[in-house]
Amino acid sequence: MKVFNKKGFAALAAVAILAAACGGSTGGKTLTIGISLPLSGSALASAGPAQNGAELAVSEATIDGYTLAVKVLDHAVNGAHDPAQAAADMTTLVGDETVVAVVGPFNSGSAKAQIPVSSEAGLLQCSPSNTNPDLTKGDAGAALRAGRPVNYIRVATTDDIQGPAVAAYAFSQGKKSVFIVDDTEVYGKGIADAFAAKFVELGGTVVGREAADKTVTDFSAIVAKAAATNPDSFFYGGVTSSGAGLVRKAMIQAGLNVPYYGGDGIQDGNGDGSYIAVAGDASADSYSSVAAIHDIPAAADFAAKYKAKFGEDPGSYSASGYACAQIIIEAIKAAIAGGEVTRETVRAAAVMAGATYDTVLGPVGFDENGDTTQKIISLYKVENGDWVFDAQIDYAAQ
Amino acid sequence: MAAGTVSTVRTEKPRSALALPVIILAFLAAMFVWMGFTQFLNALTLGAVYALVALGYTMVYGIIELINFAHGDVFMVATFVTMFVSGTILNQKEGIYGIPQLILSLVIVFAVTISIMAIIGAVIERFAYRPLRRAPKLAPLITAIGVSFILQNIIQYLVGPYTYNVPQLFPVDWAVMVGETRVPFLNIFVITVAVSLMALLQLFISRTRTGKAMRTTSMDRDASSLMGVNIDRTIMITFLIGSGLAGAAGVIHGLYYGNTNFQVGFQSGLKAFTAAVLGGIGNTAGAALGGFIIAFVEVGAVVLGFSRWGGAVVFSLLVIFLVFRPTGLLGSHTGDRA
């Protein structure tokens, strides 16, 4: 109910205008779900499976009296997500009257650029993979949506849980001293800070902390400094495109053969440009997390129908993309049941307090910030040149 | 006239010729004591790459006063040529432990990559810069930026946008332990190759007829032309040598780091350009010196715990030099610029 209470006069006025603007389209038969992800170059390996998941869910759904459609926009520039392009794509989706909700984006940096645009239009947006806490929580989250009602929801767990989860994982493997390097970016520094705090709290020692931005390609000096502190483990806060694989390669070359830990930024499969591909043989003894459930309730069914449609196994965030589309479709149905389908009724239905959606990920609901109530972290390790699932931890109860 | 100018340069030399090596040796000794052997070796290795790339910037600037922004991307292309030669042609994936085969493979990789890059450099000069020889200076500068984009896009089209592994032919695990310190042979090899190439370049510029032509062309193109120097040929040779050195730097980058991507030239190019300015743009000895100084500054920043500011430290140095000593450490108007 809290969401409804927040609605002020201005919001009501906006709803009225929107309802008028959308009136024509919702009277017609087509409802479009936008998909806004980075889908070319290096980014495709991680975001492509999320797109497939969302499209699969839409293709399976039917709503009486309406036709469901998808509109896919790619905001990768030079092979990596581009926040400016992400914002431009969101403007395009807002401009298309048939679009009632959007699946995306993939990266927290792009979300930061899109949320002000989608929020102003009152357009529901569900990210399969964003983990940065500041997108939704506290003053930073409220500032991003300019105090308007929540329109951005996500099914991935946030880094204030993911970072500590990796710390607990390392600690459970007997690691007592860690050397940390981050990539100076919002995601990388954030998850490294969260990791460090938990590792120390558990009784471990952070023996050193360095940073190298994404332009750095020579990690020999940092690795030499790390080796001099004799850590029994190493944590990298960042993504593969910032240098996760290069650091690992430099470590092994310098003779620093200790286990390597990272967040979901390095869990990008083993295709071209992935952490495993860049680090090569050095990627052995690496561990990472994904901010989503791995053991989904009907895993075999989902994998089978995914493979039947796309000819490959689901990726890390395929089920999350599928779940986002499921939630949007349920919200559309709820809006229809409530009388009319507009952007505002779909948005309001999705974030309604207490609503729980039965998704491929299991039951999912959203708190007052739009964050998922399912707080599960999955942990992986590299074996024979690929990521192998190791364990998943549910933090909702803790 | 040309001979006279050169002899004036010669008389100036002994003064700095004695002082400079002493300062450099003192600097190296201080760094060695301060940062320890491992970091000292890391800095020298990184400096070797910067210096080789910086030489190309400074030679081209010296002779046609063009800041060749495409030079970093020539280096980038060289890393991909290295990947192609050692991975596809020689069909190697990792270190070669047989010494005769290793030497043969390294000779092939260096020779082929340097030759290909020298030709590419000369072709770029012929078609992108020579037609603009008499145009306002801004024109070739903008063309250079265009060439930079063209090279990046060609590699993206031909190979792809990812980071790729370059076979590290020289075994990375060859090392000796000196007490507690691990001394990898790869670093020693890289530094030796780079310093030898730089020494050869100095000899070439100071002792050969072509080197003399390069020096006179940089001093006064019209006068040199009147004295019978073939200007077009001399400029083309400068590009051949500069790009060839970038080729060598590309091979070294592949051997040492074992990876590359299409954007690797931008940042390395910027650092190498800073090195060239630091040493005195147009001055070959200065560029080599600048490359090593930049590397020591970067590694020193990590040693001090300023890794978060690594890039800022280097480029602050560039700004400081541009403001207080725009001619660089060794000065850009000495006679031995190429």
Side-chain angles (χ1 to χ4, degrees):
Chain A
M1 280 314 289
K2 205 171 173 193
V3 171
F4 287 98
N5 291 342
K6 273 188 192 165
K7 249 194 289 179
F9 242 141
L12 280 172
V15 171
I17 292 163
L18 260 173
C22 297
S25 67
T26 47
K29 299 285 182 194
T30 302
L31 297 174
T32 304
I33 297 175
I35 297 179
S36 180
L37 296 166
L39 295 169
S40 51
S42 307
L44 180 62
S46 30
Q51 177 202 0
N52 289 345
E55 290 193 359
L56 180 60
V58 175
S59 71
E60 287 172 351
T62 49
I63 298 177
D64 289 340
Y66 296 92
T67 309
L68 278 177
V70 292
K71 180 171 190 166
V72 183
L73 294 178
D74 165 20
H75 58 253
V77 175
N78 277 341
H81 82 101
D82 183 80
Q85 187 59 46
D89 285 357
M90 183 52 76
T91 307
T92 305
L93 290 169
V94 165
D96 181 340
E97 291 183 347
T98 67
V99 174
V100 288
V102 176
V103 176
F106 198 81
N107 308 74
S108 294
S110 283
K112 216 165 183 169
Q114 283 192 333
I115 292 171
V117 181
S118 61
S119 163
E120 192 176 357
L123 181 61
L124 175 67
Q125 172 173 19
C126 176
S127 168
S129 58
N130 292 160
T131 55
N132 188 271
D134 291 342
L135 296 177
T136 50
K137 298 184 187 196
D139 294 341
L144 211 52
R145 55 181 179 261
R148 287 181 284 259
V150 170
N151 74 301
Y152 167 90
I153 56 177
R154 53 175 157 190
V155 295
T157 317
T158 47
D159 287 336
D160 47 355
I161 292 169
Q162 184 175 208
V166 180
Y169 186 44
F171 203 78
S172 73
Q173 293 177 336
K175 303 295 172 271
K176 294 284 184 286
S177 61
V178 66
F179 194 94
I180 299 175
V181 173
D182 73 67
D183 69 354
T184 75
E185 300 211 3
V186 177
Y187 162 79
K189 187 175 181 302
I191 193 169
D193 288 344
F195 173 93
K198 183 68 177 181
F199 197 75
V200 169
E201 185 194 314
L202 288 168
T205 315
V206 176
V207 293
R209 172 90 185 251
E210 294 292 335
D213 66 41
K214 63 183 171 191
T215 64
V216 174
T217 52
D218 179 285
F219 289 94
S220 57
I222 286 176
V223 165
K225 198 170 180 185
T229 62
N230 273 320
D232 62 17
S233 55
F234 184 94
F235 181 85
Y236 183 75
V239 297
T240 302
S241 57
S242 293
L246 307 185
V247 179
R248 183 57 177 169
K249 207 165 186 169
M251 280 173 67
I252 301 303
Q253 192 163 325
L256 181 58
N257 294 304
V258 298
Y260 180 105
Y261 294 85
D264 55 344
I266 69 167
Q267 218 288 25
D268 47 6
N270 63 355
D272 275 343
S274 64
Y275 168 74
I276 289 177
V278 173
D281 292 340
S283 66
D285 211 12
S286 297
Y287 302 83
S288 76
S289 56
V290 165
I293 182 170
H294 178 88
D295 274 341
I296 57 175
D301 281 358
F302 179 70
K305 63 187 180 186
Y306 186 94
K307 192 156 190 170
K309 189 165 167 84
F310 303 108
E312 59 185 31
D313 291 324
S316 301
Y317 286 105
S318 292
S320 303
Y322 188 93
C324 265
Q326 279 186 309
I327 291 161
I328 287 169
I329 290 161
E330 286 306 310
I332 291 172
K333 286 179 178 166
I336 291 170
E340 63 172 340
V341 187
T342 65
R343 284 178 179 174
E344 175 52 23
T345 55
V346 171
R347 184 203 67 76
V351 301
M352 193 185 333
T356 304
Y357 299 92
D358 187 20
T359 73
V360 68
L361 302 174
V364 170
F366 299 98
D367 65 15
E368 72 278 12
N369 295 319
D371 288 332
T372 177
T373 52
Q374 185 189 56
K375 299 186 189 305
I376 293 176
I377 302 291
S378 304
L379 299 162
Y380 298 80
K381 59 185 168 190
V382 173
E383 267 176 20
N384 301 322
D386 201 1
W387 290 107
V388 175
F389 173 66
D390 190 20
Q392 71 183 34
I393 307 168
D394 190 345
Y395 285 85
Q398 298 179 21
Chain B
M1 268 301 286
T5 322
V6 171
S7 73
T8 341
V9 174
R10 284 277 150 74
T11 53
E12 277 175 6
K13 265 201 143 177
R15 241 187 332 139
S16 63
L18 200 69
L20 198 62
V22 173
I23 295 171
I24 291 173
L25 281 177
F27 173 76
L28 288 178
M31 286 293 144
F32 183 88
V33 171
W34 174 54
M35 53 175 59
F37 183 76
T38 307
Q39 297 290 31
F40 181 75
L41 207 57
N42 284 337
L44 279 183
T45 315
L46 181 59
V49 177
Y50 287 160
L52 283 177
V53 181
L55 282 169
Y57 276 103
T58 222
M59 288 172 72
V60 166
Y61 184 84
I63 206 152
I64 54 172
E65 296 192 356
L66 162 71
I67 295 171
N68 182 10
F69 278 113
H71 190 63
D73 296 293
V74 171
F75 160 73
M76 177 275 293
V77 173
T79 63
F80 278 92
V81 172
T82 305
M83 180 173 89
F84 178 72
V85 173
S86 41
T88 309
I89 296 182
L90 296 178
N91 198 19
Q92 297 295 334
K93 282 199 163 55
E94 50 202 2
I96 303 172
Y97 289 86
I99 291 183
Q101 296 95 308
L102 174 63
I103 292 173
L104 183 66
S105 306
L106 287 175
V107 167
I108 292 174
V109 174
F110 271 103
V112 174
T113 308
I114 290 175
S115 312
I116 290 178
M117 294 325 296
I119 293 167
I120 289 178
V123 167
I124 291 173
E125 191 275 331
R126 175 65 188 81
F127 293 102
Y129 303 143
R130 190 181 296 181
L132 300 171
R133 189 76 44 81
R134 302 277 167 196
K137 276 185 184 164
L138 206 54
L141 192 72
I142 293 167
T143 308
I145 294 170
V147 171
S148 160
F149 283 122
I150 290 171
L151 292 177
Q152 288 189 22
N153 283 299
I154 287 176
I155 290 296
Q156 265 201 85
Y157 177 77
L158 290 180
V159 190
Y162 307 115
T163 295
Y164 297 91
N165 284 303
V166 181
Q168 294 180 284
L169 300 183
F170 196 103
V172 295
D173 50 359
W174 273 357
V176 284
M177 295 299 289
V178 180
E180 290 283 283
T181 314
R182 183 172 175 270
V183 184
F185 290 152
L186 175 58
N187 295 54
I188 308 286
F189 171 76
V190 163
I191 295 163
T192 311
V193 169
V195 172
S196 311
L197 285 173
M198 287 178 238
L200 277 177
L201 176 70
Q202 288 301 331
L203 282 178
F204 180 82
I205 291 172
S206 60
R207 299 289 158 83
T208 63
R209 273 182 76 84
T210 314
K212 190 184 274 184
M214 287 163 72
R215 282 181 288 145
T216 58
T217 306
S218 77
M219 282 173 213
D220 190 329
R221 194 188 298 167
D222 294 333
S224 306
S225 174
L226 291 174
M227 298 305 292
V229 173
N230 184 337
I231 301 297
D232 280 344
R233 180 173 163 275
T234 306
I235 292 176
M236 182 163 276
I237 287 172
T238 306
F239 270 86
L240 272 171
I241 296 174
S243 306
L245 289 171
V251 176
I252 287 175
H253 185 277
L255 289 176
Y256 187 52
Y257 299 113
N259 61 68
T260 185
N261 71 56
F262 78 99
Q263 286 166 319
V264 84
F266 178 72
Q267 196 68 15
S268 307
L270 218 51
K271 297 257 175 72
F273 171 67
T274 308
V277 172
L278 205 64
I281 189 146
N283 183 320
T284 48
L289 186 64
F292 285 105
I293 290 176
I294 296 279
F296 274 102
V297 167
E298 266 189 32
V299 173
V302 172
V303 172
L304 286 175
F306 290 131
S307 58
R308 203 169 285 278
W309 309 100
V313 173
V314 169
F315 296 117
S316 305
L317 205 64
L318 175 65
V319 173
I320 291 169
F321 263 81
L322 285 175
V323 172
F324 294 105
R325 198 176 161 82
T327 55
L329 279 173
L330 301 188
S332 55
H333 296 294
T334 58
D336 59 359
R337 72 177 186 178

